Amino acid sequence: MKRFLAASTIAFALAGGMSASLAAEEITFVGWGGASQEMFTKVMIEPFAQRTGVGVKQDVMDGNYAKIKAMVDADRVTWDVFHSDPFFPVGSCGTYAEKIDTAVVDVSHLPKKMVSDCAVPIFQYAFLLVYNTEKYGDNPPKTWGDFFDTEKFPGKRAMYNAAWAGTLEVPLLADGVAPDQLFPLDYDRAFKKLDTLGSSLVFFDTGAQMQEMMERGEVDMVVSWSGRAYNAVKNGAKFKPVWTQPLATYDVLMVPKGSKHRETGMKMIAEAISPEAQSKITDFVGYAPVNDQATPNANDVLKQFLITTPGHADELIVVDQAWYAKNQEEATKRFTDWVSSK
């Protein structure tokens, strides 16, 4: 998916007296597609383009960190602002990610633990258990252990086809590992627990696919990120979240190392974390803002899926992004090998 805003924004800028050099500048934002891409378009890209006259081209990468590494290694960087998992810039700060210019990007109203030298958080959410209310009625699953109890709770379970998003943490929690003992992850123990699900376990490759599975009633339980689950329910899916041991995480924005538009990229990131932009995030996705000055408008259904709703953080387990920064490649290999052996 690519959307080009350059022509209209240049015309807007020139009409308002912007310099031709600024108006003619064009940068590329790369996201994950779907609802989050739409959110970025409305709360960050379009306001920034209209205010500055900068043209913004969009692309979708969907987890392809090898591509950004190849760009930087070849000194052919064509991406300028990048929607990333936090472990990537944490582990590649200064090599594949530019340091954040805090003179431009005000991080004073963001959670300190989520801000790193080369990235800032954009929203926060959780990986949590969601279940089909029509399937389980008055006796629904309540814990990660229930997710693995196929006798008491028969039905299809869905997880992300990758070594993150709870795919390895959840089986360990279900097997009795204490939250403060999760990391380093015990791969063998996690895979042994996943094996117990047998044919009841199915995988999805994208957030959009997971949402479709829920909306079509193809699965009965999902280890879901909260925003996608909210979108499915908003579209009519009969699912409900369980806030027992939710895995807390967040997404970040970064500028790839060697971007030809580093300064402009920093300015667009500043736009994204402003109170105005942050207040609108929940209008598009079921994720909570990170700016403490934001005033989101959340309806009753959305509140069920926001990590910031009172009570939802009572058993919060924070994903160790520093561990993933060092071990993501090994975790991916171990997971891929396990999947291939099935």
Side-chain angles (χ1 to χ4, degrees):
M1 176 189 68
K2 296 183 179 179
R3 298 188 182 95
F4 297 87
L5 306 177
S8 60
T9 53
I10 289 173
F12 179 94
L14 292 176
M18 288 281 186
S19 69
S21 59
L22 178 61
E25 185 176 10
E26 181 179 79
I27 67 173
T28 298
F29 169 78
V30 182
W32 293 69
S36 66
Q37 194 96 3
E38 179 185 3
M39 179 273 293
F40 279 116
T41 300
K42 297 298 183 182
V43 309
M44 178 185 75
I45 293 171
E46 289 181 351
F48 180 74
Q50 291 171 3
R51 182 172 57 80
T52 65
V54 173
V56 183
K57 184 169 65 174
Q58 295 192 49
D59 206 346
V60 176
M61 76 93 176
D62 201 13
N64 189 359
Y65 294 107
K67 184 172 181 179
I68 192 171
K69 288 181 177 181
M71 282 185 181
V72 175
D73 290 342
D75 193 23
R76 296 179 179 177
V77 180
T78 59
W79 295 351
D80 302 301
V81 177
F82 184 57
H83 175 197
S84 175
D85 294 299
F87 62 78
F88 181 71
V90 167
S92 60
C93 187
T95 54
Y96 295 109
E98 294 279 0
K99 287 193 174 182
I100 295 297
D101 184 353
T102 54
V104 176
V105 182
D106 180 8
V107 300
S108 63
H109 292 282
L110 307 182
K112 291 182 180 179
K113 291 184 178 180
M114 296 183 186
V115 177
S116 63
D117 288 344
C118 287
V120 296
I122 182 63
F123 50 67
Q124 54 185 322
Y125 59 104
F127 307 128
L128 70 166
L129 170 60
V130 297
Y131 66 88
N132 187 328
T133 58
E134 294 183 337
K135 174 78 172 184
Y136 300 115
D138 296 330
N139 184 34
K142 298 180 176 67
T143 67
W144 291 125
D146 292 340
F147 186 86
F148 286 83
D149 190 342
T150 56
E151 292 187 8
K152 186 176 180 180
F153 301 100
K156 290 291 184 182
R157 278 87 163 140
M159 302 181 81
Y160 189 40
N161 189 19
W164 60 279
T167 310
L168 297 179
E169 291 91 339
V170 164
L172 292 173
L173 291 168
D175 204 42
V177 176
D180 62 355
Q181 298 296 315
L182 264 181
F183 297 92
L185 296 177
D186 185 334
Y187 299 116
D188 293 335
R189 186 171 179 178
F191 296 141
K192 184 177 180 180
K193 188 67 174 179
L194 287 170
D195 283 337
T196 66
L197 290 176
S199 60
S200 295
L201 177 62
V202 296
F203 289 109
F204 51 86
D205 295 313
T206 66
Q209 185 182 10
M210 179 201 73
Q211 185 175 325
E212 290 171 3
M213 285 180 168
M214 294 173 64
E215 292 176 10
R216 295 172 181 171
E218 297 174 354
V219 292
D220 303 300
M221 291 191 215
V222 185
V223 179
S224 169
W225 40 97
S226 49
R228 280 292 187 177
Y230 165 67
N231 286 332
V233 170
K234 185 173 62 174
N235 290 341
K238 306 299 182 182
F239 277 77
K240 188 174 181 178
V242 176
W243 286 92
T244 302
Q245 293 186 319
L247 292 158
T249 189
Y250 54 98
D251 283 15
V252 300
L253 292 178
M254 54 165 277
V255 173
K257 184 70 174 180
S259 164
K260 305 301 187 294
H261 306 280
R262 176 184 177 277
E263 182 179 351
T264 304
M266 293 294 172
K267 291 178 180 178
M268 192 161 79
I269 290 176
E271 181 92 35
I273 63 170
S274 68
E276 295 76 17
Q278 288 279 303
S279 296
K280 299 175 183 177
I281 284 177
T282 56
D283 294 343
F284 299 91
V285 291
Y287 301 134
V290 289
N291 189 311
D292 63 15
Q293 293 185 321
T295 54
N297 181 26
N299 59 44
D300 289 341
V301 176
L302 176 55
K303 288 178 182 178
Q304 296 179 44
F305 294 91
L306 289 181
I307 197 171
T308 50
T309 297
H312 288 179
D314 291 350
E315 298 185 38
L316 209 60
I317 300 170
V318 180
V319 175
D320 190 337
Q321 299 297 339
W323 184 89
Y324 271 107
K326 297 178 180 178
N327 298 281
Q328 192 265 342
E329 289 186 4
E330 181 187 1
T332 296
K333 183 181 185 305
R334 292 291 296 268
F335 178 79
T336 301
D337 290 346
W338 174 78
V339 171
S340 299
S341 70
K342 299 296 107 185

